[in-house]
Amino acid sequence: MDVAALSALALPDPDGAEHRLGDYWRDRRVALVFLRHFG
Amino acid sequence: MCREHAAQLRDAYPEVQRVGAEVVAIGTGPSMARAFVEDYRIPYPVLIDADARAARAATIGRMSFLGMFTPASYPGTIRAWRAGHRIGASGKRVTQLAASFVVGPGPTLHYEHRNKHGADHPPLDDVLAALRR
């Protein structure tokens, strides 16, 4: 688990807006859940 | 089953916010993401990892096709179905396993649970405990 590499990634939400992952946990704890798929 | 765990986190979201934490879910493909958010009334951010960049950084495991039907998953699948969590159409990368982590503040990992099969997920209390510390 490379948290630093993960922090640098930006992923889109369902509306297409990009979010940098590290911004979520810059100053708080985050439960980060990888789902198998949405189906 | 990740739908069951997603719903657990939805129901616990007020407590997550009360302790100043957040939940972020990452799925595998865009085609069903919006329906998932709407059907399950997901209040926390949901992001799409279409090209598996995040999955690779988090070294998320995969199972074989036959591994999706391992008997170890039967009790959890039955429990989830009885609770109303039904799998719809298969999404992208169906052999990618799910996993949960608690990170932050900053690039610090506090907790991890790597699901062993499709019906596995971490105990909600363990995730909440890691968020409260």
Side-chain angles (χ1 to χ4, degrees):
Chain A
M1 169 74 163
D2 187 343
V3 182
L6 205 54
S7 300
L9 291 179
L11 296 179
D13 63 26
D15 294 320
E18 295 271 335
H19 302 267
R20 185 180 173 277
L21 292 178
D23 290 345
Y24 286 109
W25 53 75
R26 180 185 296 125
D27 54 9
R28 61 184 165 182
R29 292 199 180 200
V30 170
L32 179 66
V33 181
F34 283 80
L35 305 168
R36 275 189 62 216
H37 57 84
F38 292 120
Chain B
M1 177 179 277
C2 45
R3 284 187 170 230
E4 180 181 42
H5 190 49
Q8 289 177 342
L9 290 167
R10 174 198 64 203
D11 295 342
Y13 196 53
E15 170 65 8
V16 171
Q17 291 185 303
R18 191 187 67 77
V19 301
E22 180 59 287
V23 176
V24 176
I26 298 177
T28 56
S31 62
M32 288 177 287
R34 184 177 301 284
F36 171 77
V37 170
E38 292 175 355
D39 291 350
Y40 269 72
R41 305 184 315 280
I42 299 297
Y44 45 81
V46 172
L47 305 176
I48 300 161
D49 183 31
D51 56 6
R53 285 180 300 147
R56 283 194 294 274
T59 57
I60 301 297
R62 300 189 81 135
M63 58 185 159
S64 68
F65 181 78
L66 289 177
M68 290 193 290
F69 308 102
T70 177
S73 69
Y74 296 172
T77 300
I78 292 168
R79 181 193 63 238
W81 273 64
R82 283 180 172 162
H85 304 292
R86 307 296 165 82
I87 298 175
S90 295
K92 196 172 182 181
R93 299 199 305 276
V94 293
T95 59
Q96 179 179 303
L97 286 161
S100 297
F101 306 93
V102 172
V103 297
T108 305
L109 178 65
H110 302 283
Y111 172 86
E112 65 180 311
H113 178 99
R114 296 175 182 274
N115 296 15
K116 296 176 180 64
H117 51 72
D120 184 26
H121 62 70
L124 177 64
D125 287 346
D126 290 0
V127 176
L128 294 177
L131 289 172
R132 289 191 192 106
R133 283 185 209 123

